[in-house]
Every structure is written in structure tokens, then in C-alpha cells.
Amino acid sequence: MEDDDFDRLLKTCRIKLEPGERKRIKDETTQIIAYFDTIRDADCDNCLPSYQPIDVPARTRPDKVEGFYDTGKLLGNSKIYRFYIVGPKI
Amino acid sequence: MIGGIEEFVDKEKPEGYYERLIAELEKVNSKLHIFSSINRQISSGIPFSVKDNICVSGVESTASSAVLEGYVPPFDATPVERLKSNGFGFVGKTKMDEFGFGTFGINCKDHPRNPFGDSYVTGGSSAGAAAAVSVMKYHIAVAESTGGSISCPAAFCGVVGFTPTYGLVSRYGLIDYANSLDKIGIIGRSSRDVRYAFDIIKGSDSYDTTCVDHQINGENRKKLIIIDQLMANVDQDILSSFDKFISKMQNLGYSVEHRSLPLIDKALAAYYIISMAEASTNLAKYTGFKYGIRVNDFSKGYNEFFTEARRNFGPEAKRRIILGTFVRSASVKSRYYEKAMRFRHMLIDALNSIIKDGFLISPTMPIKAPAIKEAEELSPLKSYSMDSITVPPNLAGLPHVSFPYDYINGFPVGVQLVTSHFNDYALLDFVQGWEEEFNYRFNYDVGAI
């Protein structure tokens, strides 16, 4: 993988690597992608993609109003302003 | 052989039993680093531990990741809730490879040590779970497998690791690794212990729409099938020992058939493509302001803030996020991710056709438990290749069990048995039959009465 491509990939992932770590992970990534390429020979283009290994019926829970957990506990890890979780700027 | 749990239920517990259990456990834990937390409040019930990626109400659950440090779920995962309601007592959270990313149990802080030799790995990713079973006399561990995370540590720690058919156990409350592969299972000291707990945790759950309520069969099959390609990279001493085990099974009335399935060589690549693709999306929710580690500098822009939070992932997690994001990229998605999904369909059909009248059998791992130093020196790709035998049934969602069949130089080695979807009880029946011929060995008996 070229340096520019790897840097673009890191930006997409929102991952920042230290210089030494960057070289090692880039080399390992290139090696692993080359291994992934072995799947290109598999003669499976006529098979449908398998999204789950067994047939899972398509079902959802019916809508209903339900008493939920203590919202204070759910939001306990976050910085809160009034009813909102405070996050970074967009 | 009577299961330890049934014996425990029937036995009168001496006064102060649980206090003594916790004291002994803390002593062993200071040496082997199996638990991330021990519940000192346990005062009744059959002790059960929970892998650190499964939520227990009021107990820090981090999936052994710094990113989730401080995350305390306000609810129990469904399997945990079911065990607590059926006579079990929560004893502690067990360590694991960060988010399940690892084969040897060494991708976390103060990683667990093998009870058969503390300079050796436990196997992963349910590292602490298998080690906890190996050290505690009356106990079961709730664990989770994506590509072999129950079988591998069960083999290295000499215990029974059962991974049910995909979808039979609710995953509500599981900190996801890869949704189309994750399965919650049980590790125990005997097939009966495993069955006892499995019968409690299985079954549909309105909180997990991928969980199915299917009849579970126990159709015994008298044929053992060995896929030659799975044996190609197995160490010679394991092969010799496995051959002796197969001869014993023949003497017990099983026939043995060798089959060739060349496509199985590509299962490892397909597995890592799918699992990394799914992991890279699952880990996107750790943004530094909702779960776990909180980044407090809100003056940063979104990208900077998010990048800062993700510095806390370990090296293997970062690698999998990078690779998973790559294989999902628009320009290569059909070449990797979609191809792997098509391959999985083909593999499931091929395996179903082979095992319709027999069990698939092989050593669980191609090597014995390596020394920690040896495992640390392996390249990521070499480390992934160690999953070559455990990946196929996991990729196909087939039920499988690893159980010990021999000890080589004092270390246990495991055999992996695979059957058709929903024929799960047949695996436990098979192991129960084997237990009549086999004596388990353990170096610790914490909690013995």
C-alpha cells in the first residue's frame, strides 16, 4: 500500500499512529491484505452472500411504551447539559 | 462422571464457604491474573464468572479495553440474568484479549497465565474464562466465541469449551466484536456442567431479534470425519497423540473417514475479512463521550476529538479497525467483503453436506500452549494462522466443542468436535461418553468442599 493511500485510510478510521507504530502497522497491513487476496480465487460468485450463518426470521419488536432504566444511570458517563449529552464541535 | 455443579448443589456448604472461596481465589488471581474483578459480595449460589465483554449490572465491563475503562452497565446481559435467576451466584469478570481480538489471551493489560504453567499462554480470547474453570472446582464460565475464542483457551487450559449453534443464545448485553459471528457459550469442567448451564441460558429473547427458539437435537452419529486440509499444519506430537485418540474411538465403535475439502484453506481469509469489517463498524461507537474513557476537551472539532478518543485502543484493535475499514471501502468492497460473504455461503453448504451423517473431528489447535514470550514474538499474520482449525465452524455458525483428550509434557491438548446446526446436544453426549474413558487433571481446586 502506498503512503498516501495508507494516510487516507488512517484519516477515514480516525486513527493516529506514532511514527514507529505507523511503519510497523503499515507493513503488517500490506502483508495481511496480500493474504486476503487469496480469497479472490474462490469460485463462489454464483453464491448469494451469507449475512447470517443460519436463517434468522426477519422480525422486530412491536412498538410499545416501556419503562426504561434510570436515565441518570444511562447518561452517567457523559457530560450533561440540561437534557443533552455534551459532545465535540461539528 | 457426576458433574461438579450437581454435586455442589447437593452438598452442605460449610459456614464461611464463600468467604474462603473468595480468599483462595484472590490468592490464585494475584499469581495468574485471571479475573479483572472478583465479587466479594457473593454469598450463595453456584459460582459463575462472566467474560469481560458481557454486561453485568453494576460491575465495570470493559472487554479488557482501555477505551471502555469506567463503563458500568446498568443492566444484566440476558444469559447473566437467566443464571442469576436460576441458582447461580456471580463470582467475577474474566480477562480477555481486547474486544476478543486475539488467539493467545495476551492482548490486554496483566494478561492471564496458564494454570498448567504460569509462563505459558491460556489461549484466547476467553483467556480468563477457561483459566478460571481450570482453577475452580465448582464453577462455570460464560464466554463468547467469534472465531475460536472458546475452543482455543479450553484446549490450552484442559477444560470443556462449548460454542452453541449461532443464534441459540441471546447476545443482549454482549459488547459486540462481529455481529454475524459472535456466539455466547459455556466453559466448564465437564460436559454435564456445561449442559446444566446451557439449558438455562439458551432460548429466544425479545431483546435479541437474531436469537432463535429452535428445537435442539442430540442425534448421535457413529462416524468421525477428518478433513485432511485441517491437519496440514498440525505439530507432529499433537498428530501422534490425536492418532492414538482416534484409534481409541474406533475401538469404541466409531468409523473414521478422511475427506478432502480444498476450499477450507480460504476460510481463514474470509473469516478475518468479515470479522474485521464488522469490528471496524462496531468500534465506531467508542467516541470518547458516551461509553468508557471520556475526552474532556470539547473545544476540539469532531474529527480531532474522535481521533483523540481512539488513541486508547490497543495495537491489535487499531490494526483491525484499519483493515476492516479498508475491506469495506467502496473501491474494493466487492473484491473482499462481498466475496467473503459469498464464500461463507459456499462453505456452509460444503460443510453441511460433509457432516450430515458424521461428526467433524480434529485437534482444536495446531500447537500446544506456547510460552508467553514465543506468542508475543509471532507476527499478526502468523498469529491469525493459528485459528485455521477453529475458524471454519465459527464462520459457518456450526456448534462445536473442545475437550481435553491427552496431556503432552504436562500440558493438556484438546480435540474439536463439530456437528450440524441445532444438533448441539449430540456434542455434549459425545463428550460425556468420552469422560467415562478419561481422567481430567487440574493443578488447582479452588472452592473444593
Side-chain angles (χ1 to χ4, degrees):
Chain A
M1 188 179 289
E2 299 299 323
D3 276 344
D4 285 353
D5 293 336
F6 190 65
D7 287 339
R8 202 174 308 120
L9 185 56
L10 291 181
K11 198 174 166 191
T12 308
C13 301
R14 273 85 170 178
I15 293 280
K16 192 174 180 182
L17 301 174
E18 301 305 325
E21 191 185 23
R22 184 190 174 285
K23 185 183 178 332
R24 182 174 48 79
I25 291 191
K26 179 179 169 283
D27 291 348
E28 289 163 356
T29 301
T30 306
Q31 200 184 22
I32 293 165
I33 291 170
Y35 177 69
F36 286 172
D37 279 328
T38 58
I39 202 170
R40 291 164 77 173
D41 311 333
D43 183 15
C44 55
D45 290 344
N46 293 329
C47 296
L48 290 171
S50 156
Y51 294 100
Q52 308 265 3
I54 59 163
D55 288 333
V56 175
R59 61 192 162 98
T60 52
R61 287 198 295 275
D63 288 337
K64 64 173 180 178
V65 178
E66 198 172 307
F68 202 50
Y69 304 100
D70 177 348
T71 49
K73 273 188 185 172
L74 279 178
L75 303 177
N77 191 58
S78 315
K79 185 174 177 183
I80 306 293
Y81 172 71
R82 298 182 67 199
F83 309 111
Y84 305 102
I85 294 175
V86 178
K89 292 176 186 172
I90 295 176
Chain B
M1 179 182 175
I2 300 294
I5 283 177
E6 289 159 283
E7 190 180 282
F8 181 81
V9 170
D10 291 342
K11 274 194 173 180
E12 187 79 21
K13 264 59 100 197
E15 206 180 312
Y17 172 76
Y18 289 96
E19 289 84 349
R20 186 167 54 84
L21 168 74
I22 294 304
E24 283 180 41
L25 208 52
E26 287 185 331
K27 196 173 163 195
V28 172
N29 200 43
S30 66
K31 184 179 175 199
L32 298 179
H33 310 288
I34 293 168
F35 290 91
S36 52
S37 67
I38 291 175
N39 176 22
R40 291 182 180 160
Q41 272 73 49
I42 183 173
S43 57
S44 64
I46 305 160
F48 80 105
S49 62
V50 181
K51 186 174 175 177
D52 201 29
N53 61 349
I54 299 169
C55 292
V56 177
S57 180
V59 180
E60 187 184 45
S61 299
T62 69
S64 290
S65 177
V67 160
L68 273 173
E69 257 176 39
Y71 171 60
V72 179
F75 67 103
D76 281 326
T78 297
V80 172
E81 189 273 320
R82 288 180 180 173
L83 288 169
K84 282 182 176 176
S85 307
N86 284 278
F88 281 78
F90 168 67
V91 75
K93 298 299 298 281
T94 52
K95 289 189 187 171
M96 54 183 288
D97 287 296
E98 183 181 10
F99 288 108
F101 302 154
T103 302
F104 297 112
I106 56 175
N107 292 334
C108 65
K109 202 165 76 178
D110 294 330
H111 59 77
R113 313 290 173 128
N114 194 309
F116 286 87
D118 60 15
S119 58
Y120 290 80
V121 305
T122 54
S125 67
S126 306
V133 171
S134 186
V135 303
M136 291 176 74
K137 187 163 173 69
Y138 303 114
H139 157 260
I140 61 98
V142 181
E144 177 275 333
S145 175
T146 307
S149 290
I150 290 178
S151 288
C152 167
F156 287 170
C157 293
V159 294
V160 180
F162 171 58
T163 308
T165 300
Y166 174 89
L168 273 183
V169 175
S170 169
R171 299 178 294 177
Y172 176 67
L174 171 70
I175 298 170
D176 310 305
Y177 165 0
N179 308 58
S180 78
L181 296 159
D182 293 340
K183 300 155 292 281
I184 289 180
I186 298 288
I187 304 180
R189 276 196 170 195
S190 71
S191 60
R192 288 177 68 132
D193 282 1
V194 168
R195 186 188 302 247
Y196 189 106
F198 173 59
D199 280 342
I200 293 169
I201 67 168
K202 70 180 167 59
S204 67
D205 175 15
S206 62
Y207 289 119
D208 176 1
T209 54
T210 62
C211 183
V212 295
D213 205 5
H214 198 285
Q215 184 186 322
I216 304 171
N217 302 317
E219 188 192 310
N220 191 13
R221 294 158 185 181
K222 297 303 277 185
K223 183 158 74 176
L224 301 176
I225 299 154
I226 297 169
I227 294 184
D228 292 334
Q229 285 80 4
L230 292 181
M231 309 298 287
N233 298 312
V234 176
D235 277 2
Q236 192 52 51
D237 51 355
I238 292 185
L239 274 181
S240 310
S241 165
F242 179 71
D243 284 346
K244 284 182 203 155
F245 169 75
I246 288 295
S247 300
K248 280 184 196 166
M249 297 318 296
Q250 284 174 310
N251 292 338
L252 292 171
Y254 286 87
S255 66
V256 176
E257 188 179 303
H258 283 260
R259 297 286 292 269
S260 175
L261 185 64
L263 70 85
I264 212 163
D265 285 340
K266 300 192 191 310
L268 195 70
Y271 164 76
Y272 273 102
I273 290 169
I274 295 172
S275 65
M276 288 181 183
E278 294 184 8
S280 65
T281 60
N282 280 324
L283 297 189
K285 61 180 165 280
Y286 305 119
T287 51
F289 60 91
K290 189 172 178 193
Y291 303 105
I293 285 277
R294 195 165 89 184
V295 178
N296 285 311
D297 186 357
F298 291 108
S299 66
K300 287 188 160 129
Y302 186 80
N303 285 335
E304 270 180 289
F305 185 92
F306 198 13
T307 305
E308 182 63 29
R310 291 158 79 84
R311 291 173 83 99
N312 294 290
F313 284 122
E316 186 57 35
K318 286 178 185 165
R319 191 179 295 116
R320 293 191 191 206
I321 291 169
I322 293 166
L323 282 158
T325 305
F326 173 75
V327 296
R328 288 187 293 108
S329 307
S331 59
V332 296
K333 190 173 68 172
S334 62
R335 197 188 327 163
Y336 296 109
Y337 182 59
E338 287 177 13
K339 183 95 183 187
M341 303 283 263
R342 291 178 196 280
F343 176 84
R344 173 158 68 182
H345 194 147
M346 183 167 70
L347 179 74
I348 292 171
D349 288 348
L351 286 175
N352 276 337
S353 153
I354 287 178
I355 60 178
K356 62 180 184 293
D357 58 351
F359 293 111
L360 194 64
I361 197 160
S362 62
T364 304
M365 295 298 290
I367 56 170
K368 298 188 298 293
I372 291 166
K373 200 171 177 320
E374 282 178 273
E376 284 170 343
E377 285 169 0
L378 290 176
S379 71
L381 196 54
K382 185 72 187 165
S383 185
Y384 301 165
S385 73
M386 296 298 161
D387 301 338
S388 58
I389 302 174
T390 58
V391 151
N394 277 283
L395 189 57
L398 294 166
H400 52 285
V401 66
S402 175
F403 56 96
Y405 70 96
D406 198 4
Y407 296 86
I408 301 177
N409 302 330
F411 281 84
V413 282
V415 67
Q416 178 177 266
L417 193 73
V418 183
T419 190
S420 315
H421 291 134
F422 307 111
N423 195 32
D424 300 52
Y425 284 137
L427 298 174
L428 299 176
D429 291 340
F430 183 102
V431 181
Q432 195 170 336
W434 169 243
E435 285 165 345
E436 288 171 19
E437 312 289 319
F438 184 75
N439 288 317
Y440 289 94
R441 295 182 206 164
F442 297 107
N443 280 354
Y444 298 84
D445 263 334
V446 171
I449 300 173

